[in-house]
C-alpha cells in the first residue's frame, strides 16, 4: 500500500502554482488579516513567500513563523479575484496548512470538531444535543449569562443559539391589493423534470435541517424531482481548511462514488463552503488516477442553489414585506465567483425591501471554525460585520452558508440586537408558501 504524501511534499509538488505569484501587492487591501494586523507575513503574498520557503526546503514546516502566519489565514480567498496572475491561493493554503499540521499536530478542540463532523453518527448525535440545548432559547440565555473570561464557551453557545429556525409570521402580506396576480412561482418549463440531488451536509444536516427542507420545497416548486443520495458524506471542506487533507480527500472520494451512482442531472448545494469544495473535487483529486476523471465529471454537475434557480428562471410570487440585507459568504463570492444570483433572486420576491450592506463581500471572521479557534482576531473582524448589519436597520440578515449564519448570528446574539439571521432559501420558501395560501387575485375586490 502506497503511503500518502506529507503536507510538505504536497506543497513542494505545487511549484508551478507557487511561482505564479509576482508579488504585485494587489491582494493586500483585499486581505482581512493584513488590513487589521498590517504584517506582510499575514498577507497572501507574504504567506506565499513562506510556502515557497517550505517547498524549497529553506524553512521547516514546524517553524513557528510558518505555522503562525498560515494558521492566521482565514482562507476567505478574497485575494483570488483581484490577483492579475490568477494565483490559486486557496488550493495552496490548504496544502500549507496540511504541512503545518503534519509537522506540529492539531489542537484538541480542532481534532474533536473534525472527528464529529466527519462521522455521520457522531454528527447526528451532536446535532440532537445541540437542538435540545437551543430549544426554547436556552442557548441564547446561557450565552448572555456566561462571563467573558469563558469566551470560547460563551461564543459557542451564541453560535448554537443562532442556528435556531426563525419563525416568520404567516400571512404577512401587506394588503390584498398588493398581491401578485399569479399565486404560484414561475420558471422556465423544462422538457422534463430535472433529477436533482441535494447535499445534506454535516453542520447543515445536524443544525440546519430547516434549511434543507426549505431547499427541497423550493426545488419542487421550481419543477424538480429531488432524489435521495443515502451514501453521501461530509464534503470535506472543514477538514481541508483545517489541514486534515487526507481525511478531506477520503470524504471527497466517498461523495464521488455516492453521487455518480445516483446519477442526478444536477447536484444542488445550499452551503457556500461545501459548494466551493465540491466544484473543485476534480482538482483536489487530480493526482488520483482512479478518481481524477470521475471527480471532474461529478464536479461539473454541482450548482449553488441560487445559481441553479436563476438557470431555471425561478420567480417566487408570494409577497414578503420585510426589510432585509444580504451578506456574501466568501466561498460563494470569491471562490465560486457567484456574486449576482443570490441578490437577483431576492429582488424577485414581491414586497421585499433589500437594503445594501457595507463591505458585504468581506469575511465575517467565521471561516469554518476560525471564529472558535481564533476568538480575538475573528472577533475583531466579526465586530465590523455586526456594525455594518446594525447600520442597515434590517430585521434579517441573509447569508447562504451555515458557518457564516452561526458566526454572524452569534455576534447579533451577544450584541443584544433584534436582528436575526436566515438563509436566503428560507425566505424564498416562505414566499412560495405565501403564494399557495393567498387567495387568487380574481377573488380580490
Amino acid at each position: 500500500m502506497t503511503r500518502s504524501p506529507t503536507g510538505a511534499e504536497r506543497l513542494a509538488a505545487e511549484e508551478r502554482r507557487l511561482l505564479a505569484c509576482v508579488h504585485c501587492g494587489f491582494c493586500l487591501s483585499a486581505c482581512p488579516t493584513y488590513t487589521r494586523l498590517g504584517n506582510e507575513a499575514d498577507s497572501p503574498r507574504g504567506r506565499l513567500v513562506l510556502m515557497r520557503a517550505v517547498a524549497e526546503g529553506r524553512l521547516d514546516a514546524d517553524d513557528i513563523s510558518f505555522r503562525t502566519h498560515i494558521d492566521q489565514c482565514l482562507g476567505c480567498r478574497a485575494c483570488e479575484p483581484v490577483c492579475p496572475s490568477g494565483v490559486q491561493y486557496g488550493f495552496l493554503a490548504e496544502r500549507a496548512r496540511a504541512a503545518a499540521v503534519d509537522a506540529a499536530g492539531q489542537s484538541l478542540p480542532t481534532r474533536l470538531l473534525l472527528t464529529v463532523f466527519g462521522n455521520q453518527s457522531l454528527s447526528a448525535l451532536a446535532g440532537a444535543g445541540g437542538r435540545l440545548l437551543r430549544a426554547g432559547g436556552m442557548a441564547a440565555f446561557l450565552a448572555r449569562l456566561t462571563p467573558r473570561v469563558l469566551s470560547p464557551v460563551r461564543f459557542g453557545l451564541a453560535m448554537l443559539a443562532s442556528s435556531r429556525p426563525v419563525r416568520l409570521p404567516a400571512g404577512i402580506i401587506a394588503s390584498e391589493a398588493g398581491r401578485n396576480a399569479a399565486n404560484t412561482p414561475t420558471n422556465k418549463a423544462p422538457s422534463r423534470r430535472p433529477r436533482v440531488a441535494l447535499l445534506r451536509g454535516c453542520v447543515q444536516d445536524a443544525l440546519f435541517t430547516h434549511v434543507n427542507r426549505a431547499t427541497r420545497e423550493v426545488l419542487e416548486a421550481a419543477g424538480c424531482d429531488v432524489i435521495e443520495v443515502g451514501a453521501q458524506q461530509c464534503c470535506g471542506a472543514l477538514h481541508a481548511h483545517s489541514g486534515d487533507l487526507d481525511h478531506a480527500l477520503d470524504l471527497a472520494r466517498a461523495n464521488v462514488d455516492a453521487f455518480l451512482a445516483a446519477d442526478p442531472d444536477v447536484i444542488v448545494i445550499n452551503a457556500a463552503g461545501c459548494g466551493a469544495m465540491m466544484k473543485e473535487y476534480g482538482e483536489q483529486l487530480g493526482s488520483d488516477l482512479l478518481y481524477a476523471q470521475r471527480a471532474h465529471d461529478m464536479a461539473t454537475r454541482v450548482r449553488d442553489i441560487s445559481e441553479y434557480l436563476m438557470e431555471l428562471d425561478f420567480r417566487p410570487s408570494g409577497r414578503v414585506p420585510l426589510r432585509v440585507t444580504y451578506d456574501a459568504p466568501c466561498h460563494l463570492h470569491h471562490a465560486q465567483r457567484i456574486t449576482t444570483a443570490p441578490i437577483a433572486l431576492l429582488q424577485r420576491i414581491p414586497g421585499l425591501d433589500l437594503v445594501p450592506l457595507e463591505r458585504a463581500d468581506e469575511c465575517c471572521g467565521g471561516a469554518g471554525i476560525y471564529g472558535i479557534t481564533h476568538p480575538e482576531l475573528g472577533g475583531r473582524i466579526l465586530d465590523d460585520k455586526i456594525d455594518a448589519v446594525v447600520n442597515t436597520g434590517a430585521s434579517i440578515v441573509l447569508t447562504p452558508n451555515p458557518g457564516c449564519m452561526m458566526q454572524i448570528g452569534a455576534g447579533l446574539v451577544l450584541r443584544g440586537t433584534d436582528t436575526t439571521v436566515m438563509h436566503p432559501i428560507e425566505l424564498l420558501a416562505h414566499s412560495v408558501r405565501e403564494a399557495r395560501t393567498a387567495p387568487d387575485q380574481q377573488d380580490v375586490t
Side-chain angles (χ1 to χ4, degrees):
M1 183 176 179
T2 57
R3 70 172 181 86
S4 298
T6 65
E9 288 170 343
R10 283 195 172 106
L11 196 56
E14 300 302 334
E15 181 181 17
R16 178 180 58 82
R17 287 184 171 94
L18 286 167
L19 291 175
C21 177
V22 297
H23 310 290
C24 64
F26 279 89
C27 60
L28 299 182
S29 61
C31 178
T33 54
Y34 177 78
T35 56
R36 286 162 177 83
L37 300 176
N39 187 337
E40 175 72 17
D42 284 310
S43 72
R45 72 176 183 183
R47 292 182 177 113
L48 286 164
V49 168
L50 292 171
M51 291 181 209
R52 281 186 61 182
V54 170
E56 295 167 2
R58 295 181 285 108
L59 184 69
D60 290 333
D62 65 352
D63 187 281
I64 188 65
S65 61
F66 177 73
R67 290 190 289 112
T68 296
H69 299 299
I70 294 300
D71 188 52
Q72 286 183 169
C73 175
L74 288 154
C76 69
R77 297 171 63 169
C79 51
E80 291 186 9
V82 300
C83 177
S85 303
V87 175
Q88 294 175 276
Y89 179 84
F91 184 90
L92 292 167
E94 289 171 354
R95 277 132 191 86
R97 193 153 282 161
V101 168
D102 281 353
Q106 284 175 325
S107 67
L108 180 59
T110 299
R111 289 203 308 273
L112 181 61
L113 284 169
L114 294 181
T115 299
V116 169
F117 292 138
N119 182 286
Q120 288 184 327
S121 298
L122 291 176
S123 182
L125 184 63
R131 292 192 299 272
L132 183 64
L133 185 57
R134 78 184 181 192
M138 180 58 69
F141 175 73
L142 292 174
R144 294 189 182 104
L145 284 182
T146 303
R148 290 183 180 273
V149 292
L150 298 175
S151 178
V153 175
R154 181 172 179 260
F155 195 75
L157 286 166
M159 290 181 76
L160 182 60
S162 66
S163 70
R164 190 180 178 195
V166 176
R167 301 296 182 189
L168 294 179
I172 58 173
I173 299 171
S175 68
E176 294 292 318
R179 290 180 175 143
N180 276 22
N183 284 326
T184 55
T186 61
N187 57 286
K188 293 177 181 176
S191 56
R192 66 176 180 83
R193 291 176 67 88
R195 295 177 71 255
V196 176
L198 175 64
L199 178 76
R200 292 192 300 271
C202 50
V203 177
Q204 200 83 314
D205 196 37
L207 295 175
F208 293 95
T209 52
H210 51 284
V211 173
N212 283 345
R213 284 196 301 269
T215 305
R216 174 183 287 270
E217 185 176 354
V218 173
L219 285 169
E220 289 173 346
C224 302
D225 287 331
V226 182
I227 64 173
E228 290 293 333
V229 180
Q232 63 174 281
Q233 302 289 324
C234 164
C235 73
L238 285 175
H239 300 79
H241 300 337
S242 301
D244 189 1
L245 202 54
D246 285 335
H247 196 178
L249 297 182
D250 284 343
L251 291 167
R253 293 183 186 97
N255 279 328
V256 170
D257 289 338
F259 282 100
L260 287 185
D263 196 26
D265 298 315
V266 177
I267 302 167
V268 167
I269 315 295
N270 58 18
C274 302
M277 180 68 177
M278 292 182 73
K279 284 184 176 181
E280 295 174 356
Y281 272 2
E283 198 154 23
Q284 294 284 1
L285 293 169
S287 60
D288 188 322
L289 296 179
L290 292 176
Y291 276 87
Q293 186 58 51
R294 298 178 69 232
H296 173 76
D297 292 345
M298 196 209 91
T300 61
R301 306 189 198 190
V302 176
R303 300 286 191 282
D304 178 73
I305 181 62
S306 65
E307 177 184 27
Y308 188 54
L309 290 174
M310 288 302 290
E311 287 179 16
L312 295 175
D313 197 25
F314 179 73
R315 296 177 181 273
S317 59
R319 189 172 172 81
V320 185
L322 293 171
R323 185 180 178 87
V324 303
T325 193
Y326 172 79
D327 185 68
C330 296
H331 282 82
L332 190 66
H333 193 95
H334 303 306
Q336 299 185 58
R337 312 290 173 92
I338 298 175
T339 59
T340 60
I343 294 171
L345 269 175
L346 291 170
Q347 289 173 335
R348 290 180 173 186
I349 299 177
L352 195 69
D353 181 14
L354 179 61
V355 295
L357 178 67
E358 185 180 2
R359 297 173 73 177
D361 60 343
E362 184 177 68
C363 186
C364 64
I369 57 176
Y370 191 97
I372 297 173
T373 57
H374 296 75
E376 185 175 344
L377 183 53
R380 285 175 60 186
I381 296 169
L382 175 61
D383 283 342
D384 292 340
K385 183 68 69 177
I386 298 303
D387 287 343
V389 170
V390 171
N391 288 340
T392 67
S395 60
I396 298 171
V397 55
L398 302 163
T399 188
N401 191 59
C404 303
M405 292 174 71
M406 295 177 76
Q407 175 80 356
I408 296 172
L412 293 168
V413 167
L414 295 175
R415 187 73 67 92
T417 74
D418 293 328
T419 306
T420 54
V421 64
M422 289 179 70
H423 193 293
I425 199 68
E426 295 181 84
L427 216 57
L428 287 162
H430 190 81
S431 176
V432 168
R433 293 181 207 121
E434 287 290 288
R436 286 173 180 163
T437 58
D440 291 338
Q441 183 70 20
Q442 68 250 27
D443 293 334
V444 178
T445 58

